Structure formats: C-alpha cells, structure tokens
Amino acid sequence: MSTIINNIEIIKTKSSKINEVDFDDLKFGSVFSDHMLVCDYKDGKWQEPKITPYQPITLDPAAKIFHYGQSVFEGMKAYKDENDSVWLFRPLDNFKRLNISSKRLAIPELPEAYFMEGLKALLELDKDWIPKNEGSSLYIRPFVFASGNGFHASPADEYKFIICTAPSGSYFSGDVKVLIEEKYSRSANGGVGFAKAGGNYAGQFYPTQLAKEKGYHQVIWTDDNTHEYIEEAGAMNIFVRINDTLITAPTSDRILDGITRKSIIELAKAEGINVEVRKLSVSEVIEATKNGTLKEMFGAGTAAVVSPIAAFGYKDVDYNLPKLDESYADFFKKQITDIQTNKSEDPFGWRFKVD
Ligand code: PLP
Ligand code: COI
C-alpha cells in the first residue's frame, strides 16, 4: 500500500527500527532512519522520486559507479526546535552544489523540486528520527551515482539519486590534532577538488591512514604545486586566527566551497571581525605560532560544525595551540547552531522550515 505526500509516492516500512536506537548515545552516521528517497535517471530523464523503506539496492556488477567512480554527494542536517518544528540550514545551497558536482562528473543535473520536495516528504515521514539532544541532529546524505552498466570508460546512461538520513552525534570526539601534508595532494587545478565527488574522499583515505598511525585525526591539505599553502582538511574548511584576524583560503578548483565556511565569513563580517580570504602559507602559521600571534585554528563543515584544532604537526614537529577562554571557534559554533536550531534570530534568512 502506498500513500502520496508532496506528490511523492510513499511505501512505508512495516516495522520501524526506531526503538532499537539509543538517542542518548549517537555516533556519527552509523544508524539509519526507516525510509529513503530514491529517484532513477533513465530514458534520458529523471523519473518521479519515491520513498521506500530503507533497504539494500541491487546493482549490476558492471554498473559504472564500481569501475569509474561516477558519484557525488552532499551533507546536510535537520534540526528540531523545542516546539518540535523541523529546520534545515541553507538547503538550496546544497542542492545547487550537488548539481555543480554532478556537472563536473558528467552526471545529469537534478530538478530542484525532486530534491527539495523529496527531502521535505522524507523528513516529514521520519520526523521522529530527528534528535533533540544538544549537539545531535539528523544527518542527511543525498547522493547520485552511475547505476548504468558497461565497461566502456564513458558516462553511464542510468543513475540513481538517493537520500538517506542518520540520527547523529558529533563527528569528532575530543581534541582534533591535524597533520599538515607535505607529500600527497587531495586535488589539483582543473581537477575535481571543488566537487563533492566520492573519489575525492577515497583518495584521502591512504594519506589520512598514515597520519592516523602518527596520532593525527585529519590531514590539512596544502596546494599540490608547492605544498606551501594551507587549503582545507579532509571533511572541513580551515580557519586560522592570527591576532584577531580570521584567515581562510580562497575557494578554487581545488577547494570545496563550504556552506559553513561562507556562513562564518558572513557572521564574522557582521560582528566586525577582520576577515581575510587569502593564501595562507604554512611558514606564516609556524612563524605566528613561534611569536605567539597564532591564537587558534578551527575546521568548519556540516558534519564537523566548528571543530577547534588543538595541535598541528608539520615536518615531524608538533605545535600546540593555546586554549582560549573566549575563542572565535566557540563564538561561531554557538551563533551557527543557535540559528540552525531556531534559538536565535536569523538575520541572514538561512533557516528553512520543513513543515
Ligand atoms: N571541505 C570538504 C572536503 C568537505 O567534505 C566538507 C564537508 O561537507 C567541507 C569542506 C565543509 O562544507 P560544508 O560546510 O558545506 O559542509
Ligand atoms: C559533511 O560535512 O557533511 C561532509 O560531507 C563531510 C563528510 C565527509 C562526513
């Protein structure tokens, strides 16, 4: 039996798993809500999306995703306020970025209504899965991949767009220690670094594993040409505070145009904090550490929110950052999460009500 919400056909699960989940002890992205949205691209167009119970999908072994990695994704979160209203943060920006990524990977772009109406219907249906505990939210993973088959190294003729959701706690537990990369690169000019392509993450796993063996949590990528300039981390953009100036690298072919990053830049400007979007060399950061002007470093992203960096390693030397009582990281984290969870005014119009 199916029903229709927002013009979307819904097949509900017969047995909800919600009672099996401990909402007081949520990891990041490891339990999944009852339903998912699925939309197929075939015969030259996106077909009507539908919602089904969360379930495995069957793919041909020759599906091009397996061989040529044609896949892109997004990361978003849904929040519940104290009146149980459901909110998203700048969702149209995620939709637009998904299509920017798709275009670069020769994947057909999605119609806005399928993404937005599909997401709203899914969240209405799985509303009870949105955690209310501070620091928790419903992580949303929209993704598109090549389901069409063939060993010819060319774009597939069929794709799937799926949205799954996962009630989640924080991405990092505890202090974040990063390694500034000197050898490997995440991306290059003319490449796919600006896209949220699955392969960008696969390519980071090995260097990140090496960094983890040395006790670091993430790699901070540097430019592929000289390895002298700080770009971004594995799953977040990077901000550095020298004296009271906030510095972050400009976006480029090589860097993901993070929604949290651009929100922090706008919040900082509104607060009268001096922000510089410019190239930032590793030597400038080390010099600032040595002369005491480096106040803080933090990562920013949907999953990571605002994550202070406690220490960084470079050329076999570890540099510890000071612990501040009043950090920019804490300030922006509170400003952003208060807007996201409807606890404060939203002067920029970033909040989006779902129901
Ligand atoms: N950079 C990378 C490589 C990421 O994976 C992410 C996460 O989405 C970000 C930056 C932050 O982007 P956003 O703030 O849009 O989540
Ligand atoms: C996000 O922040 O949503 C991301 O996509 C990062 C991810 C790799 C966990």
Side-chain angles (χ1 to χ4, degrees):
M1 252 272 292
S2 67
T3 49
I4 306 280
I5 301 184
N6 293 353
N7 287 326
I8 294 178
E9 185 190 348
I10 296 182
I11 303 166
K12 287 191 185 159
T13 182
K14 290 197 181 74
S15 53
S16 172
K17 297 170 299 194
I18 199 159
N19 292 330
E20 296 164 22
V21 178
D22 181 356
F23 279 78
D24 292 323
D25 183 26
L26 290 169
K27 314 268 176 302
F28 176 83
S30 56
V31 289
F32 305 96
S33 326
D34 281 332
H35 298 93
M36 64 190 204
L37 179 104
V38 186
C39 182
D40 287 314
Y41 180 92
K42 60 179 179 194
D43 303 328
K45 71 182 190 64
W46 285 104
Q47 311 292 314
E48 296 280 318
K50 66 178 177 191
I51 292 177
T52 69
Y54 183 89
Q55 60 190 297
I57 46 179
T58 304
L59 289 174
D60 190 305
K64 292 200 179 187
I65 172 62
F66 297 134
H67 307 274
Y68 304 121
Q70 236 190 325
S71 87
V72 295
F73 71 96
E74 268 306 319
M76 314 168 68
K77 282 175 173 173
Y79 312 86
K80 229 182 222 175
D81 68 18
E82 54 181 23
N83 301 316
D84 284 351
S85 292
V86 176
W87 301 91
L88 292 165
F89 185 69
R90 310 186 76 172
L92 278 172
D93 290 12
N94 293 97
F95 164 70
K96 287 182 194 148
R97 192 171 63 187
L98 186 67
N99 274 347
I100 290 172
S101 302
S102 286
K103 190 169 177 192
R104 179 61 182 83
L105 276 281
I107 294 174
E109 291 168 52
L110 267 170
E112 182 181 319
Y114 286 4
F115 183 94
M116 289 304 296
E117 297 309 310
L119 178 56
K120 284 195 277 178
L122 183 65
L123 292 175
E124 277 167 39
L125 188 64
D126 280 346
K127 189 175 171 172
D128 292 346
W129 286 84
I130 305 173
K132 275 180 93 166
N133 301 359
E134 197 174 321
S136 299
S137 57
L138 187 73
Y139 186 75
I140 303 167
R141 177 51 64 82
F143 59 109
V144 189
F145 64 92
S147 51
N149 65 12
F151 291 148
H152 197 276
S154 52
D157 57 358
E158 294 188 359
Y159 296 85
K160 274 187 189 297
F161 163 54
I162 296 181
I163 308 181
C164 300
T165 66
S168 293
S170 52
Y171 192 72
F172 294 112
S173 47
D175 284 356
V176 182
K177 200 174 158 192
V178 296
L179 179 67
I180 299 184
E181 183 60 51
E182 298 162 55
K183 176 180 174 193
Y184 296 99
S185 301
R186 174 187 174 274
S187 58
N189 285 336
V192 293
F194 67 92
K196 239 172 133 54
N200 285 341
Y201 297 80
Q204 318 190 94
F205 289 165
Y206 177 66
T208 306
Q209 234 169 24
L210 298 180
K212 283 189 172 157
E213 282 164 17
K214 293 184 185 162
Y216 302 97
H217 302 99
Q218 287 248 307
V219 167
I220 292 199
W221 299 104
T222 46
D223 68 289
D224 62 299
N225 194 18
T226 64
H227 293 290
E228 280 174 14
Y229 294 93
I230 286 180
E231 304 234 296
E232 64 173 326
M236 49 194 191
N237 297 108
I238 292 292
F239 285 86
V240 173
R241 172 180 172 188
I242 297 181
N243 288 317
D244 285 341
T245 297
L246 196 58
I247 308 164
T248 191
T251 53
S252 68
D253 275 7
R254 304 183 303 271
I255 297 184
L256 191 81
D257 186 1
I259 295 163
T260 321
R261 171 188 176 279
K262 68 181 179 188
S263 305
I264 288 177
I265 293 173
E266 285 185 64
L267 287 169
K269 286 183 179 162
E271 199 57 33
I273 293 172
N274 188 32
V275 191
E276 293 179 2
V277 177
R278 64 163 171 89
K279 286 169 75 171
L280 175 66
S281 67
V282 183
S283 54
E284 182 181 347
V285 173
I286 290 178
E287 185 52 38
T289 315
K290 288 184 176 156
N291 68 24
T293 53
L294 184 78
K295 297 283 189 283
E296 53 184 309
M297 268 169 100
F298 56 88
T302 300
V305 196
V306 176
S307 292
I309 291 169
F312 69 90
Y314 184 65
K315 290 197 194 292
D316 296 325
V317 180
D318 276 353
Y319 300 86
N320 291 314
L321 279 98
K323 274 205 186 325
L324 302 182
D325 287 336
E326 289 189 3
S327 69
Y328 281 178
D330 286 346
F331 173 77
F332 291 122
K333 185 172 181 180
K334 181 162 172 24
Q335 288 240 322
I336 288 206
T337 50
D338 281 357
I339 292 176
Q340 289 168 333
T341 53
N342 194 25
K343 286 195 187 115
S344 67
E345 292 297 307
D346 176 23
F348 301 96
W350 290 336
R351 212 159 40 216
F352 180 97
K353 194 162 195 275
V354 172
D355 42 0

